[in-house]
């Protein structure tokens, strides 16, 4: 069907837009908005959580008001506006930091309503294009639809970080472009979807089953609360809604609630899973990322693991005569995710071993490094440099403090006072009897120049320019791309020369001293490079992806198989809400726990193991049902003459009081014939 191609392309572009924006979101918070890691993580997961709360709103709008087609169009417009506002907020010249934050947050809220609102509609709208007898074609559509989601994710997580880091604009990383391209893709998604308008089958809104379910549950609770000991007893508390709602609906709600109870422990899995885009990304920034990027690894592994598990893993388990039920698969998925965080803990412990500029988790702390430089260059004397291998901690006892320091050189003593602020790094540079302080802000890869010559110097490292004044002028720290810089251009007036700086590595901070008329550089390593390679993250990605295949995909299949035909959207909304609450858990822990990162990883792993045990106990007592037996059950009652009048009465009353809903179309209408 030609109409399906428009829907698939729309989904590809939308997923590219969403995952591309999220791929750089945490780094945007830290490097552009200058938030700390905990706040960045909290806002990231608050946004993710909102994206999975809003599908309920989208389903309500589509089913009871606009229909799926118009809901997708209108909320896609909201989606596009969110991307545009987000991109404008990433332009440094547009207002101050307050304006940037306000625009960013407004953009994220609109994006959350857009992507969440259309999430339950697009796949269902695609399924609506097939008649009931075309089950094979529908199954192929959902396979292609799923592949388009992962294809969009893979490409976006590769391209967007390149747009951010490799393309420079406004004097730094180009976040405006990194957010602008997803905005363009979302515009394309909207245009493509509208282009197929004349070919679609558009079902009008038929009433919302979710609304009926909520009203039925509310009535049952109210009647149960108001009942007295003299009222007739009910086998189930939902039976208190029988006065208004048909028995089949009540029976179906009972089936759904049994599944929803099983959902209660599930948010903990998503609390771990969604940290790939926050905590794991931050961990990667403190590792050596030479030659390797893992931003798209999860999506690639999903494409690889799904057929492997279906064709190899599950059949082998079956040959071992192990009855791996859906709930058992989900429990194994939880264990794999916990093991992934165990692996992340081991990596984090080793990453922490390398020297840091300062510990952002420790208050009232600065780090000071003392560098002694000669004031006169003597070609017959080797350059004298004394540079301690690490920074020394200085406790302030508050957010800032004026510190008096005594410097003794030979028999000469001098004193000076310098103001220090907490959580900063300072270098103390001694030039004969002149004492100079420079406050340094370190980046992932950064360097600075000290010019001992009398002439000012312009230095170009890659595409980053440094200006260094003469007579011991010191340039600001700037970030450069990891590379070997064997021919760095230095110019002073009309004179141009080149120097060799060698490798400037990930996570390191360098001071380059320029000496004598030949501009001989002396490279000092203030902070050593990241010595743990990012490939050590691969095991945790493999484990979390295997867990996703066993947990997420199986969970969707389980939810579908255990839901009555007209209640599948209700369980889909419940499933998406588990993702939302999982992100809420991360938000709470990130803001409230105050733990070291490795301890936080270990805490999450332990919590998921505990939750898995609880879930396994609940799953042990769960009895699988076949929703198709529901038709047979009520049909048999009608044939036998049982409850026939009651069913007809239920149908009439429900149509009068609740309106002709999806429930009536798929349930009572067939059994009361």
């Amino acid at each position: 069907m030609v109409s399906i191609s428009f829907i698939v392309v729309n989904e590809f572009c939308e997923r590219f837009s969403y995952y591309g924006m999220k791929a750089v979101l945490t780094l945007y918070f830290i490097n552009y908005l200058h938030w700390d890691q905990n706040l960045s993580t909290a806002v990231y997961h608050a946004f993710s959580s909102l994206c999975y709360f809003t599908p309920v709103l989208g389903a309500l709008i589509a089913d009871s008001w606009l229909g799926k087609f118009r809901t997708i169009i209108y909320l896609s417009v909201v989606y596009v506006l969110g991307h545009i506002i987000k991109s404008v907020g990433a332009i440094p010249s547009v207002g101050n930091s307050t304006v940037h934050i306000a625009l960013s947050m407004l953009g994220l809220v609109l994006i959350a309503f857009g992507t969440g609102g259309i999430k339950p509609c697009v796949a269902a709208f695609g399924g609506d294009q097939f008649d009931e007898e075309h089950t094979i074609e529908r199954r192929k559509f959902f396979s292609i639809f799923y592949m388009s989601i992962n294809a969009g994710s893979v490409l976006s997580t590769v391209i967007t970080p390149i747009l951010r880091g490799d393309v420079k604009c406004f004097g730094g990383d180009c976040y405006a472009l990194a957010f602008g391209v997803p905005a363009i893709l979302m515009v394309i998604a909207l245009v493509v979807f509208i282009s197929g308008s004349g070919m679609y089958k558009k079902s009008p809104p038929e009433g919302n089953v979710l609304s009926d379910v909520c009203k039925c549950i509310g009535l049952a609770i109210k009647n149960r609360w108001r009942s007295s000991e003299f009222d007739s007893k009910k086998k189930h508390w939902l039976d208190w809604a029988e006065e208004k709602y048909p028995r089949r609906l009540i029976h179906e709600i009972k089936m759904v609630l049994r599944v929803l109870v099983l959902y209660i422990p599930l948010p903990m899995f998503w609390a771990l899973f969604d940290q790939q885009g926050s905590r794991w990304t931050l961990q990667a920034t403190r590792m050596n990322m030479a030659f390797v990027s893992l931003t798209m690894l999860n999506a690639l592994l999903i494409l690889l693991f799904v057929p492997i598990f279906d064709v190899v893993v599950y059949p082998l388990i079956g040959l071992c005569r192990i009855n791996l039920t859906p709930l058992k698969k989900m429990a194994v998925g939880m264990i794999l995710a916990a093991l992934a965080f165990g692996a992340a803990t081991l990596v984090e412990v080793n990453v922490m071993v390398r020297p840091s500029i300062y510990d952002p988790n420790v208050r009232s702390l600065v780090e000071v490094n003392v560098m002694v430089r000669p004031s006169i260059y003597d070609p017959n004397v080797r350059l004298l440099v004394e540079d301690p291998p690490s920074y020394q901690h200085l406790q302030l006892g508050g957010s800032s403090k004026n510190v008096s320091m005594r410097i003794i050189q030979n028999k000469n003593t001098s004193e000076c006072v310098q103001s220090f602020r907490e959580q900063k790094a300072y270098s103390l540079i001694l030039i004969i009897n002149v004492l100079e302080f420079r406050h340094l802000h370190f980046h992932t890869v950064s360097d600075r120049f000290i010019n001992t010559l009398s002439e000012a110097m312009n230095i170009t490292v890659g595409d980053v320019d440094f200006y260094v004044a003469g007579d011991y002028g010191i340039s600001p720290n700037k970030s450069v791309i990891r590379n070997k810089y064997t021919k760095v251009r230095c110019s002073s007036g009309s004179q141009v020369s080149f120097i060799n700086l060698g490798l400037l590595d990930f996570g390191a901070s360098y001071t380059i001293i320029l000496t004598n008329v030949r501009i001989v550089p002396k490279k000092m390593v203030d902070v050593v490079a990241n010595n743990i390679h990012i490939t050590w993250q691969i095991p945790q990605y493999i484990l979390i992806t295997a867990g996703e295949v066993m947990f997420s995909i199986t969970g969707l299949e389980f939810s579908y198989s255990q839901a009555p035909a007209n209640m599948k959207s209700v369980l889909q909304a419940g499933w998406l809400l588990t993702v939302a609450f999982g992100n809420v858990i991360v938000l709470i822990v990130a803001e409230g726990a105050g733990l070291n990162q490795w301890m936080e990883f270990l805490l999450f792993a332990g919590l998921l193991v505990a939750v898995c045990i609880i879930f396994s106990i609940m799953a042990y007592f769960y009895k699988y049902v076949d929703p198709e037996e529901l038709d047979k059950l009520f049909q048999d009652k009608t044939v036998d003459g049982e409850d026939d009048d009651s069913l007809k009465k239920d149908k009439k009353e429900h149509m009068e009081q609740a309106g002709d809903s999806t429930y009536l179309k798929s349930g009572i209408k067939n059994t009361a014939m």
Side-chain angles (χ1 to χ4, degrees):
M1 297 175 64
V2 179
S3 62
I4 294 304
S5 61
F6 290 96
I7 298 173
V8 171
V9 173
N10 166 269
E11 183 66 12
F12 169 82
C13 294
E14 189 276 327
R15 289 292 87 185
F16 186 107
S17 173
Y18 177 74
Y19 285 111
M21 181 273 299
K22 283 191 71 177
V24 298
L25 190 58
T26 301
L27 298 179
Y28 171 77
F29 291 152
I30 293 175
N31 298 330
Y32 186 82
L33 298 183
H34 304 300
W35 291 349
D36 62 34
Q37 293 188 8
N38 287 337
L39 178 59
S40 300
T41 300
V43 175
Y44 176 91
H45 287 283
F47 166 71
S48 298
S49 180
L50 185 59
C51 289
Y52 285 94
F53 277 120
T54 50
V56 176
L57 179 62
L60 286 170
I61 294 174
D63 289 346
S64 59
W65 182 24
L66 297 177
K68 298 183 186 71
F69 177 74
R70 288 194 295 168
T71 299
I72 294 171
I73 291 178
Y74 293 159
L75 290 182
S76 292
V77 172
V78 174
Y79 203 161
V80 171
L81 289 176
H83 273 305
I84 294 173
I85 294 172
K86 189 82 177 63
S87 302
V88 172
I91 300 176
S93 59
V94 178
N96 54 24
S97 60
T98 303
V99 174
H100 297 157
I101 293 173
L103 291 175
S104 297
M105 294 304 100
L106 176 59
L108 286 177
V109 169
L110 293 177
I111 290 171
F113 276 93
T115 186
I118 68 176
K119 194 182 295 290
C121 300
V122 178
F125 185 72
D128 290 345
Q129 306 309 303
F130 299 90
D131 296 326
E132 287 299 324
E133 61 270 17
H134 296 152
T135 55
I136 297 176
E137 290 82 359
R138 185 189 292 115
R139 189 180 302 116
K140 289 181 179 178
F141 160 72
F142 281 114
S143 297
I144 297 172
F145 188 83
Y146 182 77
M147 294 292 288
S148 71
I149 292 174
N150 285 278
S153 173
V154 169
L155 288 178
S156 66
T157 50
V158 173
I159 294 173
T160 309
I162 292 175
L163 295 176
R164 175 196 67 85
D166 293 356
V167 179
K168 300 295 179 181
C169 61
F170 308 109
D173 289 346
C174 202
Y175 286 101
L177 180 62
F179 292 139
V181 170
I184 294 172
L185 263 294
M186 194 58 222
V187 171
I188 294 174
L190 179 58
V191 171
V192 168
F193 184 76
I194 294 176
S195 300
S197 176
M199 306 178 190
Y200 299 142
K201 294 179 181 177
K202 303 170 187 175
S203 302
E206 299 177 342
N208 198 295
V209 175
L210 182 59
S211 175
D212 286 347
V213 171
C214 293
K215 290 177 181 178
C216 181
I217 292 175
L219 179 63
I221 294 174
K222 183 177 71 172
N223 288 345
R224 176 66 182 87
W225 180 261
R226 293 178 176 178
S227 65
S228 67
E229 59 180 338
F230 302 105
D231 292 327
S232 59
K233 302 298 181 183
K234 306 289 185 181
K235 291 182 178 180
H236 192 280
W237 61 270
L238 272 172
D239 294 335
W240 287 97
E242 286 181 343
E243 66 180 43
K244 183 175 181 180
Y245 292 93
R247 292 174 183 172
R248 172 160 180 155
L249 175 63
I250 294 172
H251 188 79
E252 289 173 336
I253 295 175
K254 292 176 184 178
M255 294 170 59
V256 169
L257 288 181
R258 291 176 66 243
V259 179
L260 290 179
V261 169
L262 280 177
Y263 283 175
I264 293 175
L266 303 190
M268 185 53 67
F269 174 87
W270 298 113
L272 277 69
F273 179 81
D274 278 349
Q275 290 189 57
Q276 293 177 81
S278 56
R279 292 304 202 196
W280 284 15
T281 297
L282 295 175
Q283 184 185 68
T285 62
R286 293 179 286 117
M287 303 177 72
N288 194 310
M289 295 181 284
F291 316 116
V292 178
S293 174
L294 302 183
T295 53
M296 63 175 180
L297 185 59
N298 175 253
L300 285 175
L301 287 175
I302 278 288
L303 296 177
L304 179 65
F305 280 8
V306 169
I308 288 178
F309 272 75
D310 286 340
V311 178
V312 180
V313 177
Y314 293 148
L316 285 177
I317 294 175
L319 290 175
C320 297
R321 296 183 179 180
I322 298 175
N323 183 21
L324 196 61
T325 63
L327 294 180
K328 289 179 181 178
K329 289 181 184 179
M330 294 173 67
V332 173
M334 289 182 176
I335 294 298
L336 290 172
L339 290 175
F341 266 67
T345 301
L346 293 177
V347 172
E348 184 66 25
V349 169
N350 284 278
V351 168
M352 289 174 59
V353 172
R354 68 175 294 273
S356 62
I357 300 164
Y358 63 86
D359 185 352
N361 296 315
V362 179
R363 309 292 296 179
S364 305
L365 177 73
V366 297
E367 297 194 2
V368 181
N369 193 12
V370 179
M371 294 178 286
V372 182
R373 313 296 186 205
S375 61
I376 301 175
Y377 177 77
D378 184 346
N380 298 316
V381 179
R382 188 177 179 182
L383 181 64
L384 300 176
V385 175
E386 293 183 16
D387 195 1
S390 64
Y391 283 72
Q392 302 298 315
H393 292 179
L394 176 63
Q395 294 290 343
L396 300 180
S399 60
S400 63
K401 184 179 181 180
N402 291 329
V403 179
S404 178
M405 291 169 288
R406 178 179 299 174
I407 296 95
I408 301 176
Q409 183 183 20
N410 297 326
K411 295 183 179 180
N412 298 321
T413 301
S414 59
E415 293 187 0
C416 67
V417 177
Q418 171 66 26
S419 177
F420 291 98
R421 295 183 61 83
E422 66 176 356
Q423 297 184 336
K424 299 292 182 183
Y426 295 83
S427 286
L428 177 63
I429 304 172
L430 301 178
I431 306 173
I432 305 181
N433 293 325
V434 179
L435 189 63
E436 295 186 5
F437 288 92
R438 294 292 185 270
H439 166 242
L440 308 176
H441 176 66
F442 289 87
H443 301 273
T444 303
V445 180
S446 58
D447 57 61
R448 59 177 176 164
F449 292 85
I450 298 178
N451 187 8
T452 66
L453 307 178
S454 58
E455 302 87 2
M457 193 74 61
N458 290 297
I459 305 168
T460 302
V461 182
D463 57 357
V464 179
D465 295 322
F466 294 82
Y467 173 78
V468 198
D471 295 325
Y472 294 94
I474 303 176
S475 71
N477 265 54
K478 292 186 178 181
S479 296
V480 299
I481 298 173
R482 178 193 185 274
N483 206 346
K484 282 188 176 181
Y485 295 93
T486 58
K487 197 173 182 180
V488 175
R489 187 177 188 275
C490 300
S491 62
S492 178
S494 59
Q495 295 183 348
V496 178
S497 58
F498 296 90
I499 60 177
N500 182 4
L501 297 182
L503 176 65
L504 302 183
D505 210 350
F506 280 110
S509 181
Y510 302 95
T511 295
I512 292 89
I513 308 166
L514 306 177
T515 63
N516 81 15
V517 293
R518 291 175 296 158
I519 315 180
V520 178
K522 176 67 176 180
K523 185 171 73 173
M524 309 296 300
V525 180
D526 297 328
V527 178
V528 299
N530 299 338
N531 55 358
I532 306 296
H533 200 269
I534 195 173
T535 50
W536 284 103
Q537 280 193 326
I538 291 178
Q540 64 200 58
Y541 273 97
I542 291 175
L543 288 167
I544 199 75
T545 306
E548 178 188 4
V549 171
M550 299 196 74
F551 180 89
S552 180
I553 297 177
T554 305
L556 287 172
E557 294 173 356
F558 170 78
S559 301
Y560 189 88
S561 68
Q562 297 298 289
N566 60 320
M567 295 284 184
K568 296 187 187 299
S569 61
V570 177
L571 276 187
Q572 181 65 19
W575 176 263
L576 293 174
L577 285 176
T578 65
V579 184
F581 283 113
N583 283 275
V584 171
I585 293 173
V586 182
L587 193 156
I588 294 171
V589 173
E591 283 294 292
L595 299 174
N596 289 329
Q597 190 56 70
W598 72 269
M599 296 177 65
E600 186 177 297
F601 283 160
L602 197 60
L603 172 65
F604 275 111
L607 288 174
L608 186 56
V609 170
V611 165
C612 180
I613 294 173
I614 296 172
F615 176 77
S616 299
I617 295 172
M618 296 170 66
Y620 178 80
F621 292 100
Y622 181 83
K623 293 182 180 180
Y624 291 86
V625 297
D626 183 1
E628 293 182 2
E629 293 295 322
L630 198 63
D631 287 331
K632 186 175 183 302
L633 172 66
F634 281 87
Q635 220 167 25
D636 288 345
K637 285 187 177 182
T638 304
V639 171
D640 295 338
E642 296 180 22
D643 297 329
D644 186 56
D645 293 336
S646 174
L647 287 170
K648 290 180 179 179
K649 180 182 177 181
D650 285 342
K651 175 185 175 182
K652 180 180 179 181
E653 290 180 353
H654 186 66
M655 291 180 66
E656 291 174 350
Q657 298 173 3
D660 188 11
S661 66
T662 306
Y663 163 73
L664 289 174
K665 294 181 181 296
S666 63
I668 290 297
K669 183 169 65 176
N670 294 329
T671 61
M673 291 177 61

